[in-house]
Amino acid sequence: MSYGVHERHYLERAKSRLLEDTPEALFYAAFELRCFLEARQDHYLDAQRQYTKSVPEAAWKLSSQGKSLRAIYKEERIQQIVWAFSEERQLLLHHVPVTNRLRQLVGQLDTYRHAQSQYRDPEDEWWAVFRGRLVEVYRLAWVVLQGNLPSPALISRKGGKVIGNLIVEFDEKPDDLDLSSFVGAITMAHFSFLDQPPAEWVCDLPA
C-alpha cells in the first residue's frame, strides 16, 4: 500500500478517518489535516518562488509559510479567470488562497496531536466538539483543493498587465483540450474575485 504525499492524498485520508468516526480515528484525521495545509502552502510557495525573497525551509511552520504567501498576495477571495480562446473554447481557472481562518484552525489542532492528559467518556460532548472542528477544517481545505492555479495571476498596477507565469494544473486534462493550438493565439481573459466558492463546488463531507 502506497502513502501518497500530494495534498489530495492527505485530505482523502482525513476524510476516511472522519468517516470511521471512532475516537482514535479523529486524532489521525487531525494529523492528516495538518499535513494537508503544510503541503498545500509549500506547493503554493514553490509555484511563486520567483516572487519571494526567501521560502521557509520548514513546511511545518505554518505561520512562516502564511507570512510569505501574504507578502505576495494579500487577497483572501477566490481569484477566477475565464480564459477564452473562442466563444466555444474556454478555460475556467481558480486560485483559492489559504485563508487566515483555515490556518488558525489548523494551528489549534496541535492540541490534539499530543498525548491527552485527561480521560473522556465516549459519551462526553467533547468528542462531538472535536469532530465538529475537524469537519470545519476539512470543508475549508476541500475548497482550497478545488483551485487549479497554484500561483495567482498577478496584475501590474501600471497598465494592468498580467505578470509572471500562469501555472494551470489539471487532475486530468480535458479530452478536447489541445494546448499546442493555443500557442501564439489571441485570447481574452476575464478576471473576477469571488466572495463565496462557486455554487457547483459542493463539499463531499457535509457539515
Side-chain angles (χ1 to χ4, degrees):
M1 180 181 292
S2 64
Y3 186 84
V5 294
H6 187 275
E7 300 98 290
R8 65 175 176 275
H9 297 135
Y10 290 114
L11 207 58
E12 287 169 357
R13 287 190 293 266
K15 179 184 176 183
S16 296
R17 301 293 80 77
L18 285 168
L19 291 177
E20 286 179 23
D21 206 19
T22 61
E24 60 268 28
L26 297 181
F27 290 100
Y28 294 126
F31 168 75
E32 299 287 3
L33 289 169
R34 166 78 189 213
C35 289
F36 164 85
L37 188 57
E38 290 179 15
R40 191 63 170 181
Q41 289 196 143
D42 196 51
H43 185 174
Y44 279 6
L45 283 170
D46 188 59
Q48 303 176 43
R49 189 175 295 272
Q50 62 182 310
Y51 307 117
T52 60
K53 294 182 179 179
S54 63
V55 175
E57 294 184 4
W60 55 268
K61 293 185 177 180
L62 299 180
S63 60
S64 295
Q65 286 183 316
K67 183 178 180 180
S68 295
L69 288 170
R70 289 193 301 273
I72 304 166
Y73 187 72
K74 293 182 174 62
E75 181 63 62
E76 289 211 337
R77 293 177 297 172
I78 297 171
Q79 184 186 70
Q80 177 176 277
I81 305 173
V82 180
W83 193 6
F85 302 93
S86 68
E87 291 186 4
E88 297 78 21
R89 308 181 74 180
Q90 298 182 346
L91 284 179
L92 187 59
L93 311 174
H94 297 94
H95 174 72
V96 186
V98 173
T99 63
N100 287 328
R101 173 66 176 168
L102 176 56
R103 197 176 293 109
Q104 290 168 359
L105 286 174
V106 171
Q108 293 169 10
L109 294 183
D110 279 353
T111 303
Y112 307 113
R113 297 194 303 118
H114 300 284
Q116 300 298 295
S117 60
Q118 177 182 348
Y119 171 79
R120 294 178 176 83
D121 186 89
E123 302 304 318
D124 193 316
E125 182 65 20
W126 184 89
W127 295 104
V129 173
F130 180 14
R131 187 179 190 280
R133 289 175 178 172
L134 294 175
V135 170
E136 181 180 2
V137 171
Y138 177 90
R139 289 174 60 84
L140 291 172
W142 184 92
V143 170
V144 172
L145 193 60
Q146 304 315 297
N148 52 8
L149 293 175
S151 179
L154 302 177
I155 304 173
S156 67
R157 294 181 178 179
K158 295 181 180 180
K161 295 181 179 180
V162 177
I163 58 177
N165 297 320
L166 188 60
I167 304 171
V168 184
E169 298 178 338
F170 299 102
D171 287 336
E172 293 183 7
K173 186 171 71 71
D175 294 334
D176 61 346
L177 182 60
D178 178 13
L179 293 178
S180 64
S181 65
F182 300 144
V183 176
I186 297 176
T187 63
M188 294 289 291
H190 175 72
F191 293 77
S192 58
F193 293 93
L194 309 180
D195 292 315
Q196 298 295 329
E200 60 270 20
W201 292 7
V202 180
C203 182
D204 58 3
L205 189 68

